[in-house]
Amino acid sequence: NAGVTQTPKFQVLKTGQSMTLQCAQDMNHNSMYWYRQDPGMGLRLIYYSASEGTTDKGEVPNGYNVSRLNKREFSLRLESAAPSQTSVYFCASSELQGKSPLHFGNGTRLTVT
Amino acid sequence: GESVGLHLPTLSVQEGDNSIINCAYSNSASDYFIWYKQESGKGPQFIIDIRSNMDKRQGQRVTVLLNKTVKHLSLQIAATQPGDSAVYFCAENKGGSQGNLIFGKGTKLSVKP
């Protein structure tokens, strides 16, 4: 099993450009999450999907949108990238929201110039 | 412990010694706690978890202790090895059941050979 797979691994955008970060999990997990990680700030929750068909805002949702395409896939979209969105983005999945461990992908390193 | 500013607290130990990494959590309603390990360039990796109805849980070379009275969590690593060098995060399901995991800012463990 691959676990949680994120694409791309690296991306450079110019301010105002858009892009979609892709995430897929093969563990049949119900819940999926997008976090961002910045130096000194730890992991902060952007959006989550407790189950297929639902999505909700996390701690830092502004400037992002998400789509839970099916049980396996959860994408994160930046409609108009800003330098403040330069970060490392992690997708994660868990069997049950708040009651079981999150399994993380290896991240997408995004730079917005 | 928790980080201040851009610099993570660092714990430096000699190979073969035991390591203790501490974490203060914030919410009395949190009932699920997890420790993660993150190596450079990778996503966080699940180490061990504990529910609030327990005070202690042991894994392979690791022990997690939970003190609900003072809202304190610790991770003990026995016979620390160079491969244990990484950043360690604690997480709590803030708000209790159905709450999303909120992460601490991390502690960097450095193992001297």
Side-chain angles (χ1 to χ4, degrees):
Chain A
N1 287 347
V4 178
T5 303
Q6 293 183 236
T7 56
K9 289 184 169 54
F10 300 92
Q11 184 71 50
V12 178
L13 292 177
K14 294 189 188 310
T15 297
Q17 288 185 317
S18 62
M19 78 161 296
T20 300
L21 281 64
Q22 307 286 355
C23 174
Q25 52 93 7
D26 62 3
M27 295 172 282
N28 201 36
H29 283 167
N30 292 304
S31 302
M32 296 186 74
Y33 312 81
W34 278 103
Y35 284 85
R36 62 178 287 175
Q37 186 175 40
D38 303 292
M41 300 294 289
L43 286 153
R44 292 183 292 169
L45 183 64
I46 304 171
Y47 269 95
Y48 65 98
S49 172
S51 60
E52 188 179 356
T54 69
T55 61
D56 284 288
K57 295 178 180 179
E59 182 185 356
V60 289
N62 291 344
Y64 306 95
N65 284 300
V66 290
S67 295
R68 183 77 183 265
L69 304 169
N70 48 55
K71 192 170 187 179
R72 289 187 64 246
E73 298 173 285
F74 189 40
S75 63
L76 178 72
R77 183 159 179 83
L78 286 71
E79 290 290 352
S80 179
S84 61
Q85 294 178 304
T86 293
S87 189
V88 182
Y89 291 86
F90 288 101
C91 178
S93 69
S94 69
E95 188 174 355
L96 293 171
Q97 181 193 7
K99 299 178 183 177
S100 58
L102 270 61
H103 297 263
F104 285 85
N106 278 324
T108 295
R109 284 144 186 84
L110 175 67
T111 301
V112 183
T113 60
Chain B
E2 299 299 319
S3 68
V4 176
L6 296 177
H7 302 288
L8 292 174
T10 299
L11 176 64
S12 186
V13 301
Q14 202 71 39
E15 181 178 359
D17 287 351
N18 296 335
S19 302
I20 300 176
I21 301 171
N22 296 303
C23 183
Y25 65 93
S26 58
N27 194 323
S28 300
S30 298
D31 62 4
Y32 181 60
F33 305 88
I34 305 183
W35 280 101
Y36 283 89
K37 172 186 181 183
Q38 187 176 25
E39 296 173 286
S40 182
K42 296 186 178 180
Q45 177 186 357
F46 168 72
I47 302 173
I48 191 167
D49 58 1
I50 188 168
R51 302 190 190 281
S52 59
N53 60 352
M54 302 174 72
D55 297 323
K56 179 179 178 178
R57 190 163 187 229
Q58 288 184 288
Q60 188 176 13
R61 281 202 307 120
V62 295
T63 300
V64 56
L65 298 177
L66 176 63
N67 185 330
K68 295 180 284 292
T69 303
V70 296
K71 292 189 284 189
H72 184 267
L73 194 66
S74 67
L75 177 70
Q76 300 178 1
I77 304 173
T80 313
Q81 302 167 2
D84 294 327
S85 294
V87 176
Y88 289 80
F89 297 94
C90 65
E92 61 179 297
N93 67 340
K94 204 167 184 177
S97 181
Q98 303 277 316
N100 288 306
L101 287 178
I102 304 299
F103 287 78
K105 294 183 176 64
T107 296
K108 183 175 182 180
L109 177 65
S110 178
V111 182
K112 296 175 287 187

